[in-house]
Amino acid sequence: MKKILMTLLVVSCMTANTARAQQGAAVGAGSTYSNPLSIAFGDPFVLKDGDMYFMYGTGGGAKDGFSVYSSPDLKSWKDEGQVYFGNNKNGWGTGAYWAPEVYKRNGKYYMFYSAQWRHNPTKEEENFKIGVAVADKPTGPFVDMQDKPIFDPGYPIIDANVWFENGKTYLYYSRCCYKHPVKSEVSEWARKKGWYKEIEESWVYGVEMKNDFSGVIGEPVLLLRPPVKMDIAEWESRSVTSREVNRRWTEGSFIFKKEDTYYMMYSANNFDGQNYAVGYATSKSPLGPFVKAANNPVLQKNGRVTGTGHNSITMSPDGKDMLCVYHGRTKATGHERLVFIDKMEVRKDGKLVVYGPTMKD
């Protein structure tokens, strides 16, 4: 019965996703850009600064650091080169430079990112932490504010996202799957099938951060995790149910506020696989509790694009449209991740919808 239910849910989600993509094309999504962009970024983040856009991401030709592209219109992009180097005077990382996000505060530009921390006395394979670097311009050069991560919660963390409100600063991140086995109906199902002995999971946390970004205030709060029940949000378990890997992800969070509601978008499934997809949850507080939406996933693979995930949000040049910026893969580009931009909106009924993935003919 569960297998039948899961099949019906998959078909239903894929049908709804195709309809959303078609509607997105009909309402003019892509009128100022063409998917996919010729930018080989994973985890793309767009900063709109005045009349210019600046896009940061994982990879894109950067070596032990991050590059940036600039654009006046989201269509024509200029490669500004590498703007952060891990070997800067305060650099603390040794590789795995991932998921940069840049925020403008008081005339300065602050880059939050993940990297492998060189302080690793127990020789962990995944020793990721989050740091922050500062620059006078969005094109850098960015230099780490201190020679260590912002904080060490005692487990590897990635995918920083930051929210500012009422004089407070909040940091969101994902606890990695590494050495984090979790019992659930999905893990028991996989164990009984003889596929995996355990299922590791990544969870999204939030914590208040000092306004100078030098550390955190209080203890992190668990905000999002994969479902415990087998028949709930089956889309978040496809990395396991497709026998791809013994991990379930909840990562790449991005928070924004609409009226009095906080929306947290997040990505689930293997970031390196075809089933990577995006959902969202809502709350009345920046630190939750968050409730996942019934219309998830709002962005997932279709017949032309796979691996859709780790999104950020920006506004169109005329300020009228919300745009979802994410990475994906196509048959033509193979395993390489490229940037996509599609229109999104929060409807009057409060539902978040992404009109994608779309792709030029």
Short mmCIF file of all heavy atoms in Angstrom, two decimals, residues 50-98:
data_model
loop_
_atom_site.label_atom_id
_atom_site.label_comp_id
_atom_site.label_asym_id
_atom_site.label_seq_id
_atom_site.Cartn_x
_atom_site.Cartn_y
_atom_site.Cartn_z
N GLY A 50 22.12 48.42 -5.54
CA GLY A 50 21.79 49.51 -6.43
C GLY A 50 21.15 48.98 -7.70
O GLY A 50 20.19 48.22 -7.65
N ASP A 51 21.71 49.36 -8.84
CA ASP A 51 21.18 48.90 -10.13
C ASP A 51 21.92 47.67 -10.67
O ASP A 51 21.67 47.25 -11.80
CB ASP A 51 21.27 50.02 -11.17
CG ASP A 51 20.38 51.20 -10.81
OD1 ASP A 51 19.32 50.97 -10.20
OD2 ASP A 51 20.74 52.34 -11.15
N MET A 52 22.80 47.10 -9.87
CA MET A 52 23.60 45.97 -10.33
C MET A 52 23.30 44.71 -9.53
O MET A 52 22.96 44.77 -8.34
CB MET A 52 25.09 46.30 -10.23
CG MET A 52 25.57 47.37 -11.20
SD MET A 52 25.49 46.83 -12.93
CE MET A 52 26.77 45.56 -12.93
N TYR A 53 23.46 43.58 -10.21
CA TYR A 53 23.35 42.28 -9.57
C TYR A 53 24.73 41.66 -9.49
O TYR A 53 25.53 41.77 -10.42
CB TYR A 53 22.45 41.35 -10.38
CG TYR A 53 21.00 41.77 -10.46
CD1 TYR A 53 20.56 42.61 -11.48
CD2 TYR A 53 20.07 41.32 -9.53
CE1 TYR A 53 19.23 42.99 -11.57
CE2 TYR A 53 18.73 41.68 -9.61
CZ TYR A 53 18.32 42.52 -10.62
OH TYR A 53 17.01 42.89 -10.71
N PHE A 54 24.99 40.97 -8.37
CA PHE A 54 26.25 40.25 -8.21
C PHE A 54 25.92 38.82 -7.79
O PHE A 54 25.22 38.60 -6.81
CB PHE A 54 27.13 40.93 -7.16
CG PHE A 54 27.55 42.32 -7.56
CD1 PHE A 54 26.77 43.41 -7.21
CD2 PHE A 54 28.70 42.52 -8.31
CE1 PHE A 54 27.14 44.70 -7.60
CE2 PHE A 54 29.07 43.81 -8.71
CZ PHE A 54 28.29 44.90 -8.35
N MET A 55 26.43 37.87 -8.57
CA MET A 55 26.15 36.46 -8.30
C MET A 55 27.40 35.73 -7.82
O MET A 55 28.44 35.76 -8.47
CB MET A 55 25.62 35.77 -9.55
CG MET A 55 25.24 34.31 -9.31
SD MET A 55 24.82 33.42 -10.83
CE MET A 55 23.34 34.29 -11.33
N TYR A 56 27.26 35.08 -6.68
CA TYR A 56 28.32 34.28 -6.08
C TYR A 56 27.87 32.82 -6.07
O TYR A 56 26.66 32.54 -6.12
CB TYR A 56 28.59 34.74 -4.65
CG TYR A 56 28.83 36.23 -4.52
CD1 TYR A 56 27.76 37.12 -4.43
CD2 TYR A 56 30.12 36.75 -4.47
CE1 TYR A 56 27.97 38.48 -4.31
CE2 TYR A 56 30.34 38.11 -4.35
CZ TYR A 56 29.26 38.98 -4.27
OH TYR A 56 29.47 40.33 -4.16
N GLY A 57 28.81 31.89 -5.99
CA GLY A 57 28.42 30.48 -5.95
C GLY A 57 29.60 29.57 -5.72
O GLY A 57 30.75 30.01 -5.59
N THR A 58 29.30 28.29 -5.65
CA THR A 58 30.32 27.27 -5.49
C THR A 58 30.91 26.90 -6.85
O THR A 58 30.18 26.69 -7.81
CB THR A 58 29.71 26.01 -4.85
OG1 THR A 58 29.14 26.34 -3.59
CG2 THR A 58 30.76 24.93 -4.66
N GLY A 59 32.22 26.83 -6.92
CA GLY A 59 32.86 26.44 -8.18
C GLY A 59 33.02 27.62 -9.12
O GLY A 59 33.56 28.66 -8.76
N GLY A 60 32.58 27.44 -10.35
CA GLY A 60 32.68 28.52 -11.33
C GLY A 60 34.10 28.89 -11.70
O GLY A 60 34.37 30.02 -12.11
N GLY A 61 35.02 27.95 -11.55
CA GLY A 61 36.41 28.21 -11.90
C GLY A 61 37.27 28.71 -10.76
O GLY A 61 38.50 28.83 -10.91
N ALA A 62 36.67 29.00 -9.61
CA ALA A 62 37.45 29.48 -8.47
C ALA A 62 38.28 28.34 -7.87
O ALA A 62 37.81 27.19 -7.82
CB ALA A 62 36.54 30.07 -7.41
N LYS A 63 39.48 28.65 -7.41
CA LYS A 63 40.33 27.66 -6.77
C LYS A 63 40.51 28.04 -5.30
O LYS A 63 41.03 29.11 -4.97
CB LYS A 63 41.70 27.60 -7.46
CG LYS A 63 42.62 26.52 -6.88
CD LYS A 63 43.94 26.45 -7.62
CE LYS A 63 44.83 25.37 -7.03
NZ LYS A 63 46.13 25.28 -7.74
N ASP A 64 40.03 27.18 -4.42
CA ASP A 64 40.09 27.44 -2.97
C ASP A 64 39.54 28.82 -2.64
O ASP A 64 40.19 29.62 -1.97
CB ASP A 64 41.53 27.30 -2.46
CG ASP A 64 42.00 25.86 -2.47
OD1 ASP A 64 41.15 24.95 -2.38
OD2 ASP A 64 43.22 25.63 -2.60
N GLY A 65 38.34 29.08 -3.14
CA GLY A 65 37.71 30.37 -2.89
C GLY A 65 36.46 30.54 -3.71
O GLY A 65 35.82 29.56 -4.10
N PHE A 66 36.14 31.81 -4.01
CA PHE A 66 34.89 32.11 -4.69
C PHE A 66 35.06 33.19 -5.75
O PHE A 66 35.84 34.12 -5.59
CB PHE A 66 33.84 32.58 -3.67
CG PHE A 66 33.60 31.59 -2.58
CD1 PHE A 66 34.08 31.82 -1.29
CD2 PHE A 66 32.89 30.41 -2.82
CE1 PHE A 66 33.88 30.90 -0.28
CE2 PHE A 66 32.68 29.48 -1.81
CZ PHE A 66 33.17 29.73 -0.54
N SER A 67 34.28 33.04 -6.82
CA SER A 67 34.24 34.03 -7.89
C SER A 67 32.91 34.75 -7.87
O SER A 67 31.98 34.35 -7.18
CB SER A 67 34.43 33.34 -9.26
OG SER A 67 35.67 32.69 -9.34
N VAL A 68 32.81 35.82 -8.67
CA VAL A 68 31.56 36.57 -8.76
C VAL A 68 31.35 37.03 -10.20
O VAL A 68 32.31 37.30 -10.93
CB VAL A 68 31.56 37.78 -7.80
CG1 VAL A 68 32.59 38.82 -8.20
CG2 VAL A 68 30.18 38.43 -7.74
N TYR A 69 30.08 37.09 -10.59
CA TYR A 69 29.67 37.65 -11.87
C TYR A 69 28.78 38.85 -11.60
O TYR A 69 28.04 38.86 -10.61
CB TYR A 69 28.88 36.63 -12.69
CG TYR A 69 29.71 35.52 -13.29
CD1 TYR A 69 30.20 34.48 -12.50
CD2 TYR A 69 30.02 35.51 -14.64
CE1 TYR A 69 30.96 33.46 -13.04
CE2 TYR A 69 30.78 34.49 -15.20
CZ TYR A 69 31.24 33.47 -14.40
OH TYR A 69 32.00 32.46 -14.94
N SER A 70 28.84 39.86 -12.47
CA SER A 70 28.00 41.04 -12.31
C SER A 70 27.10 41.21 -13.53
O SER A 70 27.44 40.78 -14.63
CB SER A 70 28.87 42.30 -12.13
OG SER A 70 29.64 42.54 -13.29
N SER A 71 25.95 41.85 -13.31
CA SER A 71 25.01 42.06 -14.40
C SER A 71 24.10 43.25 -14.08
O SER A 71 23.69 43.42 -12.93
CB SER A 71 24.15 40.81 -14.61
OG SER A 71 23.14 41.05 -15.58
N PRO A 72 23.73 44.03 -15.10
CA PRO A 72 22.77 45.11 -14.89
C PRO A 72 21.33 44.66 -15.10
O PRO A 72 20.39 45.37 -14.76
CB PRO A 72 23.17 46.14 -15.94
CG PRO A 72 23.68 45.30 -17.08
CD PRO A 72 24.35 44.12 -16.45
N ASP A 73 21.15 43.44 -15.67
CA ASP A 73 19.81 43.06 -16.12
C ASP A 73 19.47 41.58 -15.94
O ASP A 73 18.43 41.12 -16.40
CB ASP A 73 19.64 43.42 -17.60
CG ASP A 73 20.74 42.81 -18.47
OD1 ASP A 73 21.49 41.94 -17.98
OD2 ASP A 73 20.83 43.21 -19.65
N LEU A 74 20.35 40.79 -15.32
CA LEU A 74 20.18 39.35 -15.13
C LEU A 74 20.35 38.55 -16.43
O LEU A 74 20.20 37.34 -16.43
CB LEU A 74 18.81 39.01 -14.52
CG LEU A 74 18.54 39.54 -13.12
CD1 LEU A 74 17.10 39.23 -12.71
CD2 LEU A 74 19.51 38.91 -12.12
N LYS A 75 20.67 39.24 -17.52
CA LYS A 75 20.83 38.56 -18.80
C LYS A 75 22.29 38.55 -19.26
O LYS A 75 22.83 37.50 -19.60
CB LYS A 75 19.95 39.23 -19.86
CG LYS A 75 20.00 38.54 -21.21
CD LYS A 75 19.05 39.20 -22.20
CE LYS A 75 19.08 38.48 -23.55
NZ LYS A 75 18.15 39.11 -24.53
N SER A 76 22.91 39.70 -19.28
CA SER A 76 24.32 39.79 -19.66
C SER A 76 25.17 39.80 -18.39
O SER A 76 24.99 40.66 -17.53
CB SER A 76 24.58 41.06 -20.48
OG SER A 76 24.20 42.21 -19.74
N TRP A 77 26.09 38.84 -18.30
CA TRP A 77 26.88 38.68 -17.08
C TRP A 77 28.37 38.85 -17.39
O TRP A 77 28.86 38.32 -18.38
CB TRP A 77 26.64 37.30 -16.48
CG TRP A 77 25.26 37.14 -15.90
CD1 TRP A 77 24.16 36.66 -16.55
CD2 TRP A 77 24.85 37.46 -14.57
NE1 TRP A 77 23.08 36.66 -15.70
CE2 TRP A 77 23.47 37.15 -14.49
CE3 TRP A 77 25.51 37.97 -13.46
CZ2 TRP A 77 22.74 37.34 -13.32
CZ3 TRP A 77 24.78 38.16 -12.29
CH2 TRP A 77 23.42 37.85 -12.22
N LYS A 78 29.05 39.56 -16.51
CA LYS A 78 30.48 39.78 -16.64
C LYS A 78 31.21 39.00 -15.56
O LYS A 78 30.89 39.10 -14.37
CB LYS A 78 30.81 41.27 -16.50
CG LYS A 78 32.30 41.58 -16.52
CD LYS A 78 32.56 43.06 -16.26
CE LYS A 78 34.06 43.36 -16.21
NZ LYS A 78 34.32 44.79 -15.88
N ASP A 79 32.19 38.24 -15.96
CA ASP A 79 33.01 37.49 -15.01
C ASP A 79 33.99 38.44 -14.34
O ASP A 79 34.90 38.97 -14.98
CB ASP A 79 33.77 36.38 -15.75
CG ASP A 79 34.57 35.49 -14.81
OD1 ASP A 79 34.62 35.78 -13.60
OD2 ASP A 79 35.14 34.49 -15.29
N GLU A 80 33.79 38.68 -13.04
CA GLU A 80 34.66 39.61 -12.30
C GLU A 80 35.87 38.89 -11.69
O GLU A 80 36.68 39.52 -11.03
CB GLU A 80 33.85 40.29 -11.18
CG GLU A 80 32.66 41.11 -11.67
CD GLU A 80 33.06 42.45 -12.25
OE1 GLU A 80 34.27 42.76 -12.24
OE2 GLU A 80 32.17 43.19 -12.70
N GLY A 81 35.95 37.56 -11.90
CA GLY A 81 37.09 36.81 -11.39
C GLY A 81 36.92 36.37 -9.95
O GLY A 81 35.86 36.52 -9.33
N GLN A 82 37.98 35.82 -9.42
CA GLN A 82 37.94 35.31 -8.05
C GLN A 82 38.08 36.47 -7.06
O GLN A 82 38.99 37.29 -7.18
CB GLN A 82 39.03 34.27 -7.82
CG GLN A 82 38.92 33.55 -6.48
CD GLN A 82 39.69 32.25 -6.45
OE1 GLN A 82 39.99 31.66 -7.49
NE2 GLN A 82 40.02 31.77 -5.26
N VAL A 83 37.18 36.51 -6.10
CA VAL A 83 37.13 37.64 -5.17
C VAL A 83 37.42 37.24 -3.74
O VAL A 83 37.61 38.09 -2.87
CB VAL A 83 35.77 38.36 -5.24
CG1 VAL A 83 35.56 38.98 -6.61
CG2 VAL A 83 34.62 37.40 -4.91
N TYR A 84 37.44 35.93 -3.47
CA TYR A 84 37.84 35.44 -2.16
C TYR A 84 38.83 34.30 -2.35
O TYR A 84 38.59 33.39 -3.14
CB TYR A 84 36.65 34.92 -1.34
CG TYR A 84 37.08 34.21 -0.07
CD1 TYR A 84 37.33 34.94 1.09
CD2 TYR A 84 37.29 32.83 -0.05
CE1 TYR A 84 37.77 34.30 2.24
CE2 TYR A 84 37.74 32.19 1.09
CZ TYR A 84 37.97 32.93 2.24
OH TYR A 84 38.42 32.30 3.37
N PHE A 85 39.95 34.38 -1.63
CA PHE A 85 40.98 33.35 -1.65
C PHE A 85 41.15 32.80 -0.24
O PHE A 85 41.34 33.57 0.72
CB PHE A 85 42.31 33.93 -2.15
CG PHE A 85 42.27 34.36 -3.59
CD1 PHE A 85 41.80 35.62 -3.94
CD2 PHE A 85 42.72 33.52 -4.60
CE1 PHE A 85 41.76 36.03 -5.27
CE2 PHE A 85 42.68 33.91 -5.93
CZ PHE A 85 42.20 35.17 -6.27
N GLY A 86 41.11 31.48 -0.13
CA GLY A 86 41.21 30.86 1.18
C GLY A 86 42.52 31.09 1.89
O GLY A 86 42.60 30.96 3.12
N ASN A 87 43.56 31.46 1.14
CA ASN A 87 44.87 31.69 1.76
C ASN A 87 45.09 33.15 2.12
O ASN A 87 46.23 33.60 2.27
CB ASN A 87 45.99 31.21 0.84
CG ASN A 87 46.04 31.98 -0.48
OD1 ASN A 87 45.18 32.81 -0.76
ND2 ASN A 87 47.06 31.71 -1.29
N ASN A 88 43.98 33.91 2.28
CA ASN A 88 44.15 35.30 2.74
C ASN A 88 44.73 35.30 4.15
O ASN A 88 44.81 34.26 4.82
CB ASN A 88 42.82 36.06 2.69
CG ASN A 88 41.80 35.58 3.72
OD1 ASN A 88 41.84 35.97 4.88
ND2 ASN A 88 40.89 34.72 3.29
N LYS A 89 45.13 36.46 4.65
CA LYS A 89 45.90 36.54 5.90
C LYS A 89 45.19 35.93 7.10
O LYS A 89 45.85 35.51 8.07
CB LYS A 89 46.27 37.99 6.20
CG LYS A 89 45.07 38.89 6.49
CD LYS A 89 45.52 40.31 6.81
CE LYS A 89 44.33 41.21 7.16
NZ LYS A 89 44.76 42.59 7.49
N ASN A 90 43.86 35.87 7.07
CA ASN A 90 43.12 35.28 8.18
C ASN A 90 42.44 33.97 7.80
O ASN A 90 41.61 33.45 8.55
CB ASN A 90 42.05 36.26 8.68
CG ASN A 90 42.64 37.47 9.36
OD1 ASN A 90 43.71 37.38 9.97
ND2 ASN A 90 41.98 38.60 9.26
N GLY A 91 42.79 33.43 6.63
CA GLY A 91 42.12 32.22 6.15
C GLY A 91 42.26 31.05 7.11
O GLY A 91 43.34 30.79 7.62
N TRP A 92 41.18 30.32 7.34
CA TRP A 92 41.17 29.19 8.28
C TRP A 92 40.80 27.87 7.60
O TRP A 92 40.84 26.82 8.22
CB TRP A 92 40.21 29.44 9.42
CG TRP A 92 38.82 29.82 8.95
CD1 TRP A 92 38.34 31.08 8.76
CD2 TRP A 92 37.76 28.92 8.58
NE1 TRP A 92 37.03 31.03 8.29
CE2 TRP A 92 36.66 29.72 8.19
CE3 TRP A 92 37.63 27.54 8.56
CZ2 TRP A 92 35.46 29.16 7.76
CZ3 TRP A 92 36.42 26.98 8.13
CH2 TRP A 92 35.36 27.80 7.75
N GLY A 93 40.42 27.93 6.32
CA GLY A 93 39.95 26.74 5.62
C GLY A 93 41.05 26.00 4.89
O GLY A 93 42.13 26.55 4.62
N THR A 94 40.77 24.73 4.55
CA THR A 94 41.73 23.92 3.81
C THR A 94 41.11 23.29 2.57
O THR A 94 41.70 22.41 1.95
CB THR A 94 42.29 22.78 4.69
OG1 THR A 94 41.21 21.92 5.09
CG2 THR A 94 42.98 23.34 5.91
N GLY A 95 39.94 23.74 2.17
CA GLY A 95 39.27 23.19 1.00
C GLY A 95 37.77 23.15 1.22
O GLY A 95 37.26 23.61 2.24
N ALA A 96 37.04 22.60 0.22
CA ALA A 96 35.58 22.48 0.28
C ALA A 96 34.93 23.84 0.53
O ALA A 96 34.10 23.99 1.43
CB ALA A 96 35.16 21.47 1.35
N TYR A 97 35.30 24.82 -0.29
CA TYR A 97 34.73 26.16 -0.17
C TYR A 97 33.37 26.17 -0.88
O TYR A 97 33.31 26.07 -2.10
CB TYR A 97 35.68 27.19 -0.77
CG TYR A 97 36.93 27.38 0.07
CD1 TYR A 97 38.07 26.62 -0.18
CD2 TYR A 97 36.96 28.31 1.11
CE1 TYR A 97 39.21 26.77 0.60
CE2 TYR A 97 38.09 28.47 1.88
CZ TYR A 97 39.20 27.70 1.63
OH TYR A 97 40.33 27.85 2.41
N TRP A 98 32.31 26.30 -0.10
CA TRP A 98 30.96 26.12 -0.62
C TRP A 98 30.02 27.24 -0.20
O TRP A 98 30.18 27.88 0.84
CB TRP A 98 30.37 24.81 -0.08
CG TRP A 98 31.08 23.56 -0.50
CD1 TRP A 98 31.90 23.39 -1.57
CD2 TRP A 98 31.03 22.29 0.16
NE1 TRP A 98 32.36 22.11 -1.64
CE2 TRP A 98 31.85 21.41 -0.59
CE3 TRP A 98 30.38 21.81 1.29
CZ2 TRP A 98 32.02 20.06 -0.22
CZ3 TRP A 98 30.55 20.48 1.65
CH2 TRP A 98 31.35 19.62 0.90
#
